[in-house]
Amino acid sequence: MVGMTKKKTAFWVAVFLLPNLIGFLTFIVFPLLSSLAISFTNWDLISTMEFVGIYNYKQLMVDKEFWAAFTHTVTFIIGYLPLVMIFGLACALLLNRKVKLRAFFRAAYFLPVVTSWVAVSLVWKWLFNPSYGLINYFLSFVGIEGLNWLQDESLAMPAIIITSVWKDIGFVMVLFLGGLQNISTSYYEAADIDGANSWKKFWNITLPLLTPTTFFVTIISLINSFQVFDQVMIMTEGGPGGATNVLVQNIYNHAFRYFEMGYASAMSWILFIVIFVITLIQMKMQKRWAD
């Protein structure tokens, strides 16, 4: 009877898991394997697929546009990641205190996270406008005038980074807030007895005990950084002069503008491998972080 009960339980578990399994196979596994197969062809969406072996991958190794896009993506990450971590942590520390209107400020800082990238990008595009944008207006008070943010090759990427940091601070803040609220107050009470100041408490208690949260935030933010696209597409379309042409923008261009689906799929797999390897390295280093 016990064996029959276990079989019935296993049967009903399988029945209830089946819809999720079908969805996973249909929308995750099948597209993933399809893109891998397409990456070995020269398919243009119209003609019959022609198998070309690893030709697309060989071309990528000598494609200057691809490596330029890779460099721009790394530049974005170097600018974006430290800023979003520092400001997200600062907001979390501030709003973890008993301040007036704390719930309001928490909601206000999180609001950009649930706002669509289209709306955020259009608003910041207006703010960066050289003629009537508010950023140039305020900069004029300190003697800085005439910055053409989105049309200047040296300023376009910083503009994209500023926009991205502003939108994602709330997400990082919520994660750090969760980590801060898991730290026992007894540590701070003991530090008070020892006469530790605020900086020593932050450096010796808060920061070490936030290590698991910091590790998680770093991985998530890094993966998202490699996939930066929406704000680039809306604000600059990869310009000016290709200065903000990041990897996903480059994949989009080859797939849907030049109809080189095989080449675009090969780039997608290179991007996947890069993210996978970096994540794997970070996971291997997790123990060192925790120690």
Side-chain angles (χ1 to χ4, degrees):
M1 289 296 290
V2 175
M4 288 293 290
T5 305
K6 283 185 178 178
K7 284 182 179 178
K8 280 187 178 179
T9 304
F11 171 77
W12 285 111
V13 168
V15 168
F16 283 111
L17 285 178
L18 192 59
N20 285 336
L21 181 63
I22 292 173
F24 176 73
L25 293 173
T26 306
F27 297 108
I28 303 293
V29 176
F30 178 70
L32 198 66
L33 296 179
S34 297
S35 70
L36 179 62
I38 292 170
S39 72
F40 296 107
T41 71
N42 63 354
W43 191 37
D44 62 0
L45 285 173
I46 299 171
S47 308
T48 306
M49 288 186 192
E50 184 183 348
F51 181 74
V52 295
I54 60 170
Y55 175 79
N56 289 329
Y57 292 95
K58 282 183 177 176
Q59 283 297 107
L60 278 176
M61 295 301 106
V62 294
D63 186 346
K64 290 181 180 177
E65 186 185 18
F66 171 75
W67 289 110
F70 188 86
T71 305
H72 296 152
T73 305
V74 173
T75 304
F76 171 83
I77 292 170
I78 291 171
Y80 164 83
L81 197 58
L83 289 177
V84 79
M85 298 279 288
I86 291 169
F87 283 112
L89 177 59
C91 290
L93 289 169
L94 187 65
L95 295 180
N96 195 43
R97 295 170 176 268
K98 291 180 180 177
V99 293
K100 287 183 179 179
L101 301 174
R102 185 169 65 174
F104 167 78
F105 284 116
R106 284 181 179 180
Y109 276 106
F110 192 73
L111 195 60
V113 180
V114 295
T115 307
S116 77
W117 262 118
V118 175
V120 169
S121 301
L122 288 175
V123 168
W124 276 92
K125 195 173 178 179
W126 175 78
L127 290 172
F128 282 122
N129 188 287
S131 303
Y132 48 79
L134 282 180
I135 292 177
N136 273 6
Y137 173 74
F138 288 120
L139 287 176
S140 66
F141 291 126
V142 292
I144 301 173
E145 295 182 354
L147 295 182
N148 199 351
W149 287 90
L150 301 178
Q151 297 302 319
D152 187 321
E153 291 187 11
S154 62
L155 295 175
M157 185 56 81
I160 297 290
I161 291 171
I162 292 169
T163 305
S164 306
V165 170
W166 180 83
K167 187 178 188 302
D168 293 340
I169 280 177
F171 176 69
V172 175
M173 177 195 74
V174 167
L175 294 175
F176 275 125
L177 265 176
L180 287 171
Q181 289 170 7
N182 280 328
I183 299 175
S184 171
T185 56
S186 61
Y187 295 112
Y188 297 106
E189 290 167 357
D192 286 334
I193 294 171
D194 291 338
N197 58 28
S198 299
W199 171 251
K200 285 185 176 176
K201 284 190 280 187
F202 169 75
W203 189 256
N204 295 313
I205 299 174
T206 306
L207 212 52
L209 294 178
L210 274 181
T211 302
T213 308
T214 307
F215 173 74
F216 178 74
V217 172
T218 305
I219 285 188
I220 294 296
S221 300
L222 193 61
I223 292 172
N224 289 338
S225 303
F226 270 106
Q227 299 175 68
V228 56
F229 172 67
D230 306 59
Q231 58 271 51
V232 174
M233 183 67 188
I234 296 166
M235 293 175 71
T236 63
E237 292 190 52
T244 58
N245 186 31
V246 290
L247 280 174
V248 179
Q249 174 77 42
N250 204 37
I251 292 170
Y252 171 85
N253 287 341
H254 280 274
F256 301 108
R257 287 183 173 169
Y258 314 144
F259 300 105
E260 297 173 346
M261 293 301 293
Y263 200 58
S265 297
M267 276 191 278
S268 301
W269 271 91
I270 293 292
L271 176 60
F272 168 75
I273 291 168
V274 169
I275 294 174
F276 180 77
V277 169
I278 291 176
T279 306
L280 203 61
I281 292 170
Q282 286 186 308
M283 295 296 287
K284 290 286 184 186
M285 294 173 66
Q286 184 179 9
K287 190 177 179 182
R288 187 173 297 178
W289 277 57
D291 292 341

